[in-house]
Amino acid sequence: LAAGPNTTDFVDAYTIDCDASSNIYIGGTFSGESDFDLGSGVQTIQALNSGTKGFFVKYTSTGAYVNKKAYGSSANSNLKAQISNLKVDVTSSTVAVLGYVSNQVSGTSTHKGAKDVFVEKLDLNLTPIWNKQFGGALDDEGSAIDILTSGDVIIGGTFQSVADFDPSTTTN
């Protein structure tokens, strides 16, 4: 993983896991323009100015680039996002990512506050199965995740005020 040419660009990897074929999954956050191809190829994603994006990238067991996803908006340079944890489930051939976003993620419910918890379940090709976003008016962050044998995803994290953990329009 390589950060861009500016001295303020960075890539921070926070979590790593492997699937049954020893493919490697890494999640974290970055700023600026970052290249996620470990070889001679170029697979860049850009986060504008002082903003950050969460990333999730897959490599083969030999380190060859397979695919990537970025979370966060390209429309506002002050937005922040981070993938803080992930879990690969070899039984269901799925992966779940967890973190926070400071904007509404496509396909989720309305943005609730400063930072919202964000969770997404994907197949091993990184195709989304579902995603959810929830929280309260202040900073909420996801930090722990697991996939049960039933395929259900469980998460843990922190919230700073009254938080709505039901991603539907109902408040719970």
Side-chain angles (χ1 to χ4, degrees), residues 14-163:
Y14 296 117
T15 183
I16 187 168
D17 204 356
C18 297
D19 64 22
S21 300
S22 298
N23 293 309
I24 303 162
Y25 301 80
I26 301 172
T29 190
F30 71 96
S31 73
E33 183 175 19
S34 299
D35 182 7
F36 291 88
D37 191 321
L38 302 175
S40 60
V42 177
Q43 292 293 331
T44 59
I45 309 173
Q46 186 173 15
L48 299 176
N49 301 323
S50 62
T52 63
K53 283 190 175 183
F55 74 86
F56 175 51
V57 62
K58 177 181 178 179
Y59 300 102
T60 66
S61 61
T62 60
Y65 169 83
V66 176
N67 203 352
K68 68 182 177 314
K69 284 193 64 130
Y71 302 91
S73 175
S74 60
N76 183 331
S77 63
N78 295 320
L79 295 176
K80 309 287 185 209
Q82 172 181 303
I83 298 302
S84 53
N85 209 337
L86 65 89
K87 178 68 176 177
V88 175
D89 181 43
V90 295
T91 304
S92 64
S93 297
T94 58
V95 60
V97 296
L98 176 69
Y100 70 81
V101 292
S102 65
N103 64 308
Q104 183 174 350
V105 175
S106 178
T108 65
S109 56
T110 305
H111 177 60
K112 307 285 187 190
K115 291 182 192 172
D116 289 347
V117 174
F118 172 74
V119 61
E120 182 170 52
K121 189 172 183 182
L122 310 98
D123 66 21
L124 295 183
N125 294 316
L126 307 191
T127 304
I129 298 169
W130 55 259
N131 60 27
K132 307 291 182 198
Q133 179 176 342
F134 44 87
L138 299 177
D139 288 348
D140 310 302
E141 297 184 27
S143 57
I145 192 166
D146 203 356
I147 303 175
L148 302 176
T149 55
S150 64
D152 292 339
V153 175
I154 57 172
I155 64 170
T158 60
F159 62 97
Q160 290 186 334
S161 67
V162 176

